[in-house]
Amino acid sequence: MSTSSKPRRSPRKPKIVLSSTRLAELEALSEGMMRRNPELAEQLVEELGRARIVTPQRLRADVVDLGREVTYHDEATGKDHTVTLVLPQTADISNGLVSVMTPIGVALIGLAEGAVFHWETREGQRRELKILKVAPFEEETLQSA
């Protein structure tokens, strides 16, 4: 019998890349979130600590950043979802605008197309998600809605 069917214990987290200007912005957001949601703020701080920091000009177009539209596949449901990552004050889930200061927002920031990551929902369910596509957000689409 093969032992290759053993479940993997803790999958490695995918690499993340952030621009230097985004790093400062996210650090400030995490500080502000410490009182309201310390667990989420700590998750963001952990992600920031392991990020590779580049100049804004060197941030590749296929990396999730604020204002970029992200399509990801949820292995558990078999569905694809498209959202745009935004600052908390402009979040509007009914229009697909997801705050970077939510569990899924923290999980998505800095990932590149093709990355597979594990994410825990607010209900405690563990999901495997894969980034399918990252594209600039078309603001005209939202304004004409």
Side-chain angles (χ1 to χ4, degrees), residues 62-74:
D62 69 342
V63 172
V64 179
D65 192 19
L66 292 177
R68 291 187 178 172
E69 191 176 77
V70 184
T71 301
Y72 63 89
H73 180 76
D74 184 333

Side-chain angles (χ1 to χ4, degrees), residues 113-130:
E113 286 179 9
V116 174
F117 66 103
H118 293 84
W119 173 67
E120 194 167 301
T121 67
R122 289 184 173 154
E123 294 80 33
Q125 297 173 321
R126 191 163 171 82
R127 298 271 181 80
E128 182 176 285
L129 306 176
K130 180 177 184 177

